[in-house]
Amino acid sequence: MSTLVVAATASFPATAGPGGRTTDAFVQRDGSTLTLQGKPFRFAGTHLYWLGLDENVGGVDHPERPMTAIAELAPVVRACSWGSRTAVPALLGQQPNGEPQAELWFGAHHATPSPLTSRPGTPDPAAAITADPVGELGEASHAAHGPRLPFLPKLPAAARALSVQVHPTREQARAGHDREDAAGIPVDAPHHTFKDRNHKPELLCALGPFEALCGFREPARTADLLDALSAPGLERRAASLRSHPQRDSLGYTLQAALTAPRRLVRAVADALPALAASPGPWSSAAAAYATVADDFPDDPGLLAALLLNHVTPDAGEALYPAAGVPHAYLRGTGVETMASSDNVLRCDLTDKHVGTGLLSEIVGLTATRPSVTRASPTGVRGEAHYASSATEFALSRVEVGAEAVCLTDAGPQVLLCPTGEALLEAGPALAAGAAAFVPAGRPCAVSGAASVLYRARAPLGGVS
């Protein structure tokens, strides 16, 4: 072991630098390996030749170089009953296997982290982050979110309605998780609703025709819908929606919907096709509710769905349901980014655990307009950003062409290529359905033949 004395730093007093390092520490050399304060050190510049460490001249191998290379993320296919049997295979250029394939995951989620295809010794981003959290995430992201990737990009492909669901605020998640832990409920139990102490904001950008339900409609308008259905048993619910304050009427009608008798659910399901086929303001929404009835026969969640706005974002438009806003995705494919959390409260239309007892605690009983948004241009050529209040992630859409665009960032990124092909100058070529993990600060220039990338990253200046 030898010590490399750098004269330019020898005369400076010891001062604390970033991360507590001191500015007068010495680089240690052991053969072709350099370390600084016990960590791998890479030297760049003309003096590298005279140190005998120039790989281009002497063929020196650096097995201990820091693991900061851009690497391809292999997608993890998630099967679920609501998934399309054709959309994901078509995206990946594969033959359908006849099974529903609901999502592709690209990230470091503990349940199914995506494999890194070109990082020997680090099978996935979670392992890479564990080995070098600051090197992979950057100091700002590590300080804000800890040693983990704070977001999870997905590509959902829905051919059947998802559950009507709602996500808690961070404060609600912490209180609920601690309460269930104190009660001794195993975290993997179906009725352990709050799986972690984090909230779960999510933003979904449609890749093509997309259909969803999002947010409570104004109670009086929903009463008009119930009148138009003319199903026996809806009269009292319509009267309640018109005669009580908004919070009371929505709360009562939601609870009554989820406990409705089967005969009422069937009566509504029978009335929907006729309303969908008739001209008027309810035809499109009624057709959507009819698909829900077909997907989940006799499920009282259908009556809960009637309370929600029907939305159809176009390709390139995004939905951002806030905490407490009930929503359900019905049909379509998109790119979704969310905080890394498993906290979901489901309200029927599902085979999973239904947490109706917690609705009064989590659901915001306020009518809201669906938050369908378009992306706004940023200072980066070809990039447009989807605004949200999330602090864990930012999502943007990047049109790339023959001239490379620089996407270097101080925090971690995942670049997802849903169609076409993108070329990373310091990383892999991305085909349709592929993604790349870009460590913090890694130079990243991307080009392609009329390709579109979706860029998920950690917003280091606060909300995205």
Side-chain angles (χ1 to χ4, degrees):
M1 174 78 71
S2 60
T3 300
L4 301 178
V5 181
V6 183
T9 63
S11 62
F12 287 96
T15 56
R21 295 187 294 271
T22 55
T23 60
D24 64 347
F26 295 111
V27 175
Q28 304 289 326
R29 175 174 179 173
D30 185 4
S32 64
T33 300
L34 303 180
T35 59
L36 177 63
Q37 294 188 312
K39 295 185 178 181
F41 179 82
R42 288 284 290 164
F43 190 91
T46 55
H47 292 296
L48 189 65
Y49 177 89
W50 301 109
L51 289 172
L53 298 178
D54 190 338
E55 300 153 347
N56 298 314
V57 175
V60 176
D61 185 23
H62 291 275
E64 294 184 31
R65 70 191 304 170
M67 293 289 190
T68 57
I70 298 174
E72 184 173 353
L73 278 174
V76 175
V77 179
R78 300 277 293 185
C80 197
S81 60
W82 54 263
S84 169
R85 287 175 166 79
T86 58
V88 167
L91 180 70
L92 298 178
Q94 301 172 352
Q95 288 296 318
N97 62 8
E99 298 298 321
Q101 297 179 323
E103 294 178 312
L104 297 178
W105 283 22
F106 302 90
H109 192 278
H110 63 87
T112 47
S114 303
L116 288 173
T117 61
S118 56
R119 287 280 198 94
T122 51
D124 55 65
I129 291 167
T130 298
D132 186 8
V134 174
E136 301 289 349
L137 301 173
E139 292 189 359
S141 181
H142 183 264
H145 306 293
R148 64 188 184 92
L149 190 65
F151 57 85
L152 173 64
K154 298 181 179 182
L155 198 154
R160 187 168 177 250
L162 281 70
S163 61
V164 174
Q165 58 187 254
V166 67
H167 304 303
T169 64
R170 184 181 282 110
E171 293 73 23
Q172 290 168 338
R174 289 173 177 170
H177 181 77
D178 293 347
R179 182 175 62 245
E180 291 177 341
D181 270 5
I185 303 174
V187 72
D188 57 351
H191 59 292
H192 197 308
T193 303
F194 301 94
K195 302 296 186 183
D196 51 66
R197 303 181 77 246
N198 198 19
H199 64 167
K200 192 186 178 188
E202 61 185 34
L203 190 151
L204 183 140
C205 178
L207 290 178
F210 202 90
E211 201 166 16
L213 306 175
C214 187
F216 287 118
R217 190 188 296 106
E218 287 288 344
R221 288 288 293 153
T222 297
D224 293 342
L225 168 62
L226 301 188
D227 289 345
L229 284 169
S230 299
L234 292 182
E235 302 88 347
R236 184 161 53 91
R237 288 172 168 79
S240 175
L241 287 167
R242 288 192 176 100
S243 61
H244 292 90
Q246 184 178 104
R247 179 178 177 82
D248 295 340
S249 64
L250 289 175
Y252 165 77
T253 308
L254 178 61
Q255 290 288 356
L258 296 176
T259 57
R262 184 170 297 181
R263 65 179 181 277
L264 179 58
V265 177
R266 287 177 178 172
V268 171
D270 291 342
L272 282 167
L275 185 59
S278 65
W282 297 111
S283 59
S284 177
Y289 301 133
T291 65
V292 172
D294 290 340
D295 291 342
F296 293 93
D298 297 338
D299 193 312
L302 171 64
L303 301 188
L306 296 179
L307 301 175
L308 306 183
N309 298 291
H310 174 230
V311 292
T312 55
D314 294 328
E317 292 183 332
L319 278 174
Y320 180 68
V325 173
H327 58 280
Y329 302 141
L330 305 183
R331 298 289 191 275
T333 303
V335 171
E336 185 177 30
T337 304
M338 61 184 62
S340 189
S341 171
D342 292 321
N343 286 327
V344 179
L345 179 68
R346 297 179 177 88
C347 314
D348 282 324
L349 304 182
T350 181
D351 302 325
K352 299 180 180 179
H353 175 69
V354 176
T356 54
L358 294 170
L359 282 178
S360 61
E361 178 182 338
I362 304 300
V363 175
L365 297 172
T366 303
T368 57
R369 289 183 177 274
S371 52
V372 177
T373 61
R374 287 187 173 273
S376 300
T378 69
V380 176
R381 176 168 45 83
E383 183 180 42
H385 167 70
Y386 296 96
S388 78
S389 60
T391 58
E392 291 83 0
F393 64 81
L395 180 67
S396 58
R397 184 177 184 271
V398 185
E399 296 182 1
V400 295
E403 184 179 353
V405 58
C406 179
L407 298 179
T408 304
D409 196 78
Q413 305 182 76
V414 171
L415 303 180
L416 171 58
C417 182
T419 58
E421 183 180 74
L423 303 176
L424 278 67
E425 290 186 1
L430 300 180
F437 174 65
V438 184
R442 182 69 179 182
C444 180
V446 186
S447 61
S451 299
V452 174
L453 284 180
Y454 284 83
R455 181 190 191 193
R457 60 185 182 85
L460 304 181
V463 299
S464 64

